Amino acid sequence: MAYKTARSGAALCIALATLALSPKAQAQGYEVQPWRAREPIPVLEGTDLNGKVWRLADLRGKAVLINFWASWCEPCRAEMPALQQLADFYGPEKLLVLAVNFKESNAKMAQYVKSSGLSLPVLADPAGDIARRWGVNVFPTTVLIAADGQLRQRVRGELDWSGPQAEALLQPLFKR
């Protein structure tokens, strides 16, 4: 089982490296893809470290940022402080930031959350089912959902969520 997880992690790192080698990604470190209008909205249901169940269907009326990450992913770890700052700055009534952890144990997630001081909701995806439904194959990947419930964009790769590029992506989410 450990071999399979390590092999999956290596494959994901190769995918991220491939993304990083594209000229567009080299210029900015990430790629923004619009969510296709006819692409169905995947189910999101996950449990956080406190046992609370989160469902995307229950979050209508709020902008939502879903970040798919793992503690073994260096770009994921680099994004986490800025994601926490976003969550603190906007507050959960305006922007809900959910961090979906890919295939790690609750103990591993709890250790990371404690050592990094995160307070945003961290959802477990122990078998990778949530990531698979959302088409995530590069880490980090972030999905942006407007307050009206419409999926807007998918950001593949590391983005500075405290910078102007992130602000330009976030502001349209708040309009109803």
Side-chain angles (χ1 to χ4, degrees):
M1 184 63 147
Y3 171 75
K4 186 175 180 182
T5 302
R7 197 173 80 203
S8 296
L12 293 170
C13 287
I14 290 169
L16 186 55
T18 301
L19 174 66
L21 293 176
S22 74
K24 184 176 179 182
Q26 285 180 345
Q28 57 192 15
Y30 62 93
E31 175 185 28
V32 178
Q33 303 170 327
W35 196 270
R36 288 180 245 126
R38 295 189 179 153
E39 191 174 345
I41 298 173
V43 172
L44 174 67
E45 183 172 324
T47 305
D48 68 18
L49 289 170
N50 297 319
K52 179 177 178 178
V53 176
W54 293 84
R55 292 177 188 86
L56 185 57
D58 298 337
L59 304 177
R60 194 144 230 214
K62 299 176 189 181
V64 180
L65 182 154
I66 305 169
N67 179 265
F68 293 88
W69 70 286
S71 67
W72 47 258
C73 168
E74 181 59 39
C76 299
R77 290 192 312 267
E79 275 190 337
M80 278 300 161
L83 290 171
Q84 181 65 60
Q85 288 174 343
L86 274 183
D88 293 342
F89 179 77
Y90 287 108
E93 291 307 313
K94 188 165 184 179
L95 176 67
L96 186 58
V97 178
L98 300 174
V100 179
N101 179 269
F102 183 73
K103 291 188 173 182
E104 293 184 298
S105 69
N106 281 2
K108 183 89 167 165
M109 287 187 306
Q111 177 186 15
Y112 179 81
V113 166
K114 183 178 180 182
S115 69
S116 62
L118 290 180
S119 61
L120 55 88
V122 176
L123 283 58
D125 187 13
D129 295 333
I130 299 171
R132 194 171 14 268
R133 278 194 299 268
W134 285 81
V136 174
N137 56 13
V138 170
F139 292 88
T141 290
T142 304
V143 177
L144 303 172
I145 304 167
D148 64 5
Q150 296 299 308
L151 277 77
R152 300 290 185 206
Q153 293 156 318
R154 181 185 343 239
V155 180
R156 293 170 33 128
E158 180 185 352
L159 171 64
D160 175 6
W161 289 100
S162 64
Q165 299 90 348
E167 187 67 20
L169 292 171
L170 293 171
Q171 283 309 307
L173 303 180
F174 305 128
K175 298 176 182 160
R176 290 188 186 197

